[in-house]
Amino acid sequence: MAQIETASRARTADGLSLRDRLAQIDQGILIALVTLVMVAIGAVLVDGFLTGDNLMTILRASSALGILAVGSAIVIMAKGVDLSVVVVTALTAQGAVHLWTRNDFSELQALVVMGMVAITIGVINGWMVAYVGIPALFTTLGMWLLVDGAARVWLLDNQVYILPADSNVVTDLGRGELFGIPFPIVAATVAFLAGWLFLEYTSQGRLIRAYGDNPEAARLAGIPTRPLVVLTFVICAGSAAVAGVLLLGINGSYSTAYGGGKDLLFNAITAAVIGGVSLTGGKGSIFGVLWGTLFIGTFVNLMTLLNLSVEVSSLLKAAVLVVALAFDSWLHPRDEETAKSDDL
Amino acid sequence: MTDPTQGATHDRATVPPLLQLAGVSKSYGGSLALDGVDFELRAGEVHALLGENGAGKSTLAKIISAATAPDSGSVLVRGEQVDFDKPASASAAGVAMVYQETSLVDAMTVAQNLFLGDAKFFNRLQQLNVDARYLLESHNFHIDPSVLVRGLGAAQKQMVEIARAVNKSATIIIFDEPTASITPEEKQQLFLTMEHLKAKGVGMIFITHNLEEALSHADRITVMRDGVVQLTEDAAKMDRDGIVRQMVGRAVEYAPKVTLRTTASEPTLEIDNLTVAGVVQNMSFSAYPGEVVAIAGLVGAGRTETAMVAYGALKRRRIGGGTVRLNGKAVRFRTPRPAIRSGLAYVSEDRKAYGIFSDQTIDDNIYIGYLGSRRRLPLISTRRRRRSVAEGLVKRFAVRTLDPTKARLVELSGGNQQKVVLAKSLTRKPSAVIFDEPTRGVDVGAIQEIHSFIREYATQGVAVVVISSYLPEVLALGDRILVARNGRVVAEFAGDEATEESIMFAAVH
């Protein structure tokens, strides 16, 4: 028996198709190569792209996106998706400013309160998905509209909140530096490291990946699957809250006048997916998400430098996501039959 | 039943065979699934295709039905080279496939399914039903064309599928494990249909695991191993041992039983009057330490559901009543987690759906099972930690692979996957364990090994329950053999008294 199997294994190697070869490479490396090619093209064709300042701008602008992408990737790995990050990001930023300027909260108190609100939203999302059994797509879409509506009715009365001049904490977070590196970049680096350590080296992280691979098998193996699902939504909501505060600090204001952060949600999910996190769950790596984020960041920056309108730029971004999804399913067909028998 | 001259009458050099494959090769992700296969199907013959899981039978069937394209080699239908690029062109050439999981639409009626795909935009339902009845009766199938497919049994679904294939003037029909989930009576009906189609000149490829059926109902038999055709021979000239030797490369025998059970002890696992709406009716049995209780029965007899209830894997609101006692204590587990921690293990019948994490490595799979049996989840889980948990179990269950830290489960053979499932479910020694169809879809060579693991648990004083629909397995393992039918245990035999006939009789009547 042992001989038979080594024999059939030994007969592999040669005659691989292009698809087989690509499928064997980590998708993180693929997207890294694509990003570097894009950087090279940008350096040749676009003036002012390959300067230290501009590269730092790309990293700074990508930092909040990266943090959100890590959170989204973890939810997606557990077969979920969180659309309510849109409202959590906005609510954290705007709510904190509101509490602190009009309700006698100190800056830190306001941040802590809004952080707790974000975690609560995450818990409710997770509870609805894991214990009540509503699909994540509908749960979080409903939560988005619900929280957005509630905040507009009872809490927020503006679409734009300006960070008060006496802010210390948020300004430091957004504009400060640590050892000469802008703080948002430090924060994003920490988030990527933490996400990677969590998924690779903790039991919970391993189990989340396993749950995404086969939820029923995880349940039958005695894994406490429902608390794990709640955990993924809490992590995602937490990452959204941090991203909201960072954006507030970086921009000095938070506005929901144009789209209210839908762009950010779209970018975060795109970054995760083109980085190899499969929407069917259980697949992908934080390394891939990192390069997915850098890809989006570079892409958006190039669009800006080329002076393309917002409409054209979002059109191109959507095209990239669709192409990435098609590429993903070409690379990893669910099985040979479904790949071919569509016209039966 | 089989007429050995039947095949020969068509064996004239002037008539090209119905279907001919020459030098067909196919590789998936770098591993060779078919290696230069030559295969021939004559008109009016039943050609059985045998082999272990992963031998290449399904790949061959997929190539013939054009679900996948060969890397090299040629396919000839009636002597003419064809180049199937999509399934539709294969069915146009008269190739049809009858799957073990049928491809019918559950929510439509039999008639609608029969004419699916070639129906006009507007259909007159009545005419459709009349046509369907005519078609079904012409094959002697007694099925009401106006009922929903959902309500049909497995065999009836197969009949509908066969009728559909024949209606689309199929001359080459591939049966993929058609007898795996149907009753003996239904099997006879199926074989009659095959005879009937044979007389019409249809060529049939009969993929099966059941050697006896192949020997008694096929005209010729082809045995495959590791993507290579080992031999093709008239069925009349072959016997069981010869086929098994070709399938695994050596002879396989079942290990003898050694019973160690002491009669004085209390039962470890006791199921008392368990009822689950619709499937289980007052099921009662018990398992004592040191014995193997084998539960035989047909698919749908309520055995799996009983095990799932005991294990806490079924929604509680579905349980209609009854008690489960573990080590003398009445238990009612809400989830599998407390069941495992109390010493009850369950190895699922459906490896792919409930057993494995196909994208994870062997080490990770086993480690996940280990975490499931622990009271608290440790925070840190390094690769070395996972290795050290998995290492002993990989050896213990003789999982054969190049590198368990790298090999993902999807890349393993059925037998090795099953061994990983065993290792993963048994990271801690249980006091009672239920094996549900422990060797389904497992290569013949690994069956024997898995049986010896199961036996080993019993000799260590564990109460072992084996649910199996495969009678040789029931007879080989059971110290006590129970037969379940319609959700209750209807007969009990001592291991050495039972015969295949007595078990089957109890399971059906």
Side-chain angles (χ1 to χ4, degrees):
Chain A
M1 201 57 204
Q3 280 102 1
I4 292 171
E5 252 164 68
T6 33
S8 62
R9 280 249 172 179
R11 264 185 292 156
T12 54
D14 293 327
L16 290 186
S17 69
L18 174 69
R19 189 175 87 182
D20 293 335
R21 280 175 203 279
L22 285 176
Q24 281 172 359
I25 307 171
D26 181 4
Q27 203 165 332
I29 293 171
L30 280 182
I31 191 67
L33 289 176
V34 173
T35 310
L36 293 177
V37 167
M38 193 167 65
V39 168
I41 294 172
V44 175
L45 298 183
V46 182
D47 260 358
F49 175 75
L50 201 66
T51 61
D53 272 359
N54 189 47
L55 291 184
M56 207 50 113
T57 311
I58 294 179
L59 289 182
R60 245 165 64 98
S62 310
S63 57
L65 171 65
I67 292 172
L68 200 54
V70 170
S72 299
I74 290 174
V75 168
I76 294 173
M77 274 181 200
K79 262 187 158 43
V81 66
D82 190 351
L83 304 182
S84 67
V85 289
V86 175
V87 70
V88 174
T89 311
L91 182 71
T92 311
Q94 300 191 332
V97 174
H98 186 100
L99 287 179
W100 155 34
T101 49
R102 317 216 185 140
N103 291 58
D104 293 335
F105 282 68
S106 77
E107 186 180 11
L108 213 56
Q109 277 171 337
L111 288 179
V112 169
V113 168
M114 290 322 292
M116 276 155 56
V117 169
I119 300 296
T120 311
I121 293 174
V123 170
I124 298 173
N125 275 334
W127 180 77
M128 300 258 275
V129 172
Y131 289 85
V132 184
I134 307 168
L137 194 66
F138 300 110
T139 302
T140 57
L141 182 62
M143 186 55 83
W144 171 3
L145 299 176
L146 183 82
V147 174
D148 193 53
R152 307 248 156 267
V153 171
W154 288 300
L155 182 65
L156 308 174
D157 41 20
N158 274 332
Q159 286 195 312
V160 185
Y161 279 81
I162 313 252
L163 187 64
D166 61 345
S167 156
N168 294 320
V169 183
V170 177
T171 309
D172 277 354
L173 289 180
R175 309 262 170 89
E177 291 190 347
L178 195 71
F179 309 121
I181 304 165
F183 192 81
I185 298 174
V186 176
T189 311
V190 170
F192 276 106
L193 264 177
W196 174 68
L197 288 172
F198 175 71
L199 285 174
E200 282 302 313
Y201 292 104
T202 68
S203 306
Q204 285 76 7
R206 305 302 304 180
L207 292 179
I208 283 169
R209 202 185 274 273
Y211 176 84
D213 191 336
N214 190 342
E216 270 306 298
R219 195 172 70 88
L220 285 183
I223 302 303
T225 52
R226 292 182 293 193
L228 280 175
V229 171
V230 176
L231 179 64
T232 62
F233 280 95
V234 170
I235 290 174
C236 191
S239 75
V242 174
V245 173
L246 271 188
L247 283 174
L248 181 66
I250 293 173
N251 300 330
S253 68
Y254 200 100
S255 162
T256 46
Y258 307 103
K262 280 186 216 111
D263 202 39
L264 193 62
L265 164 76
F266 184 81
N267 285 352
I269 293 180
T270 308
V273 169
I274 63 177
V277 178
S278 171
L279 287 177
T280 51
K283 284 199 195 75
S285 69
I286 292 296
F287 175 73
V289 179
L290 170 65
W291 280 101
T293 307
L294 291 176
F295 175 85
I296 298 281
T298 314
F299 190 80
V300 172
N301 181 263
L302 274 174
M303 296 296 112
T304 318
L305 288 183
L306 288 170
N307 247 334
L308 293 179
S309 69
V310 180
E311 288 83 3
V312 174
S313 137
S314 28
L315 182 86
L316 286 173
K317 239 170 18 195
V320 168
L321 176 64
V322 172
V323 170
L325 285 173
F327 183 70
D328 177 42
S329 82
W330 174 69
L331 215 51
H332 309 281
R334 251 160 272 166
D335 67 6
E336 281 286 321
E337 275 139 294
T338 43
K340 268 216 116 189
S341 62
D342 47 345
D343 47 0
L344 232 181
Chain B
M1 179 151 292
T2 310
D3 180 2
T5 61
Q6 185 102 29
T9 51
H10 294 272
D11 196 10
R12 279 168 294 168
T14 49
V15 182
L18 197 52
L19 172 78
Q20 193 171 17
L21 275 72
V24 169
S25 295
K26 170 79 185 172
S27 64
Y28 285 108
S31 66
L32 215 48
L34 288 181
D35 189 1
V37 166
D38 299 320
F39 182 81
E40 180 196 85
L41 180 70
R42 298 170 191 153
E45 81 164 341
V46 175
H47 194 142
L49 192 55
L50 302 174
E52 293 188 271
N53 279 68
K57 294 170 304 194
S58 314
T59 310
L60 193 63
K62 279 187 205 164
I63 284 172
I64 296 169
S65 62
T68 187
D71 296 339
S72 63
S74 58
V75 181
L76 288 83
V77 174
R78 289 180 207 86
E80 281 175 45
Q81 172 122 18
V82 288
D83 183 18
F84 297 148
D85 48 358
K86 49 183 195 280
S89 52
S91 70
V95 179
M97 193 142 175
V98 177
Y99 292 95
Q100 96 195 79
E101 309 293 339
T102 62
S103 59
L104 302 175
V105 183
D106 264 355
M108 287 180 148
T109 68
V110 170
Q112 284 168 330
N113 265 287
L114 281 174
F115 300 107
L116 195 66
D118 49 23
K120 291 182 280 295
F121 191 71
F122 289 109
N123 287 300
R124 282 190 58 217
L125 263 182
Q126 196 185 350
Q127 189 56 43
L128 213 58
N129 282 338
V130 170
D131 290 348
R133 185 173 297 270
Y134 184 77
L135 177 62
L136 290 167
E137 293 294 331
S138 73
H139 294 287
N140 229 350
F141 296 159
H142 304 290
I143 301 170
D144 181 356
S146 64
V147 300
L148 291 183
V149 164
R150 184 180 292 131
L152 298 183
Q156 287 175 311
K157 284 188 188 173
Q158 270 176 357
M159 289 173 189
V160 174
E161 197 140 19
I162 293 166
R164 183 166 76 173
V166 176
N167 185 44
K168 289 188 177 162
S169 58
T171 49
I172 300 168
I173 303 183
I174 306 166
F175 290 91
D176 190 3
E177 302 260 0
T179 56
S181 54
I182 62 180
T183 65
E185 278 90 352
E186 291 171 331
K187 277 183 198 171
Q188 288 315 314
Q189 175 76 53
L190 176 69
F191 290 129
L192 277 176
T193 307
M194 286 168 82
E195 290 292 320
H196 183 67
L197 292 173
K198 224 158 90 166
K200 288 186 174 175
V202 175
M204 283 161 281
I205 300 173
F206 179 30
I207 300 176
T208 182
H209 268 115
N210 191 318
L211 307 187
E212 287 76 13
E213 280 170 9
L215 283 166
S216 55
H217 296 287
D219 301 306
R220 286 194 299 166
I221 294 178
T222 289
V223 181
M224 295 184 71
R225 185 171 83 217
D226 288 341
V228 180
V229 168
Q230 294 294 322
L231 92 166
T232 299
E233 185 65 83
D234 283 350
K237 294 180 191 155
M238 297 178 83
D239 61 12
R240 189 177 191 285
D241 290 344
I243 295 175
V244 170
R245 217 172 299 124
Q246 293 296 336
M247 278 168 76
V248 297
R250 60 184 166 81
V252 171
E253 274 170 23
Y254 290 117
K257 282 184 278 194
V258 206
T259 311
L260 286 183
R261 176 187 154 200
T262 49
T263 43
S265 57
E266 290 293 307
T268 309
L269 178 68
E270 214 180 341
I271 308 285
D272 193 8
N273 262 320
L274 194 74
T275 297
V276 177
V279 279
V280 182
Q281 283 290 329
N282 300 79
M283 175 83 82
S284 298
F285 65 88
S286 38
Y288 291 81
E291 74 166 350
V292 178
V293 179
I295 308 182
L298 302 176
V299 172
R303 298 168 298 166
T304 296
E305 288 79 3
T306 306
M308 299 271 259
V309 167
Y311 189 61
L314 216 59
K315 281 249 159 65
R316 277 174 93 189
R317 71 173 96 94
R318 288 192 57 196
I319 303 170
T323 345
V324 177
R325 273 188 286 274
L326 189 63
N327 294 316
K329 259 195 309 197
V331 289
R332 213 170 224 214
F333 300 119
R334 291 167 147 274
T335 62
R337 190 168 172 73
I340 294 171
R341 296 224 320 270
S342 311
L344 176 63
Y346 171 67
V347 180
S348 168
E349 62 172 336
D350 193 337
R351 182 163 67 233
K352 211 165 145 201
Y354 299 126
I356 60 169
F357 303 99
S358 50
D359 264 338
Q360 313 270 318
T361 63
I362 296 175
D363 276 8
D364 280 355
N365 268 273
I366 296 175
Y367 187 71
I368 288 159
Y370 165 80
L371 289 179
S373 69
R374 301 261 306 194
R375 204 151 62 84
R376 316 199 84 239
L377 298 182
L379 181 65
I380 308 297
S381 136
T382 60
R383 190 161 298 175
R384 194 191 293 161
R385 178 90 190 97
R386 302 201 285 271
R387 184 83 268 264
S388 76
V389 168
E391 200 169 22
L393 287 155
V394 167
K395 274 212 197 79
R396 156 120 181 57
F397 288 98
V399 182
R400 294 195 186 87
T401 173
L402 294 184
D403 184 354
T405 59
K406 294 233 176 67
R408 295 180 309 144
L409 264 271
V410 68
E411 294 161 355
L412 301 187
S413 70
N416 277 322
Q417 283 185 356
Q418 185 68 6
K419 288 178 189 170
V420 173
V421 171
L422 293 181
K424 166 178 152 289
S425 314
L426 298 165
T427 53
R428 263 179 21 166
K429 193 180 149 195
S431 56
V433 51
I434 305 171
F435 295 95
D436 198 350
E437 304 286 357
T439 58
R440 173 179 288 176
V442 166
D443 8 313
V444 179
I447 289 180
Q448 197 187 10
E449 282 179 287
I450 289 172
H451 281 182
S452 69
F453 298 141
I454 293 175
R455 174 56 57 195
E456 212 174 298
Y457 272 93
T459 55
Q460 288 169 7
V462 176
V464 179
V465 178
V466 175
I467 297 173
S468 176
S469 302
Y470 186 49
L471 292 180
E473 177 164 275
V474 169
L475 289 168
L477 284 173
D479 297 325
R480 223 157 28 99
I481 294 171
L482 309 179
V483 184
R485 185 178 79 236
N486 292 336
R488 56 158 63 98
V489 172
V490 291
E492 173 166 352
F493 303 96
D496 39 13
E497 286 169 6
T499 61
E500 291 204 18
E501 289 72 29
S502 60
I503 294 173
M504 215 56 221
F505 186 83
V508 179
H509 294 96

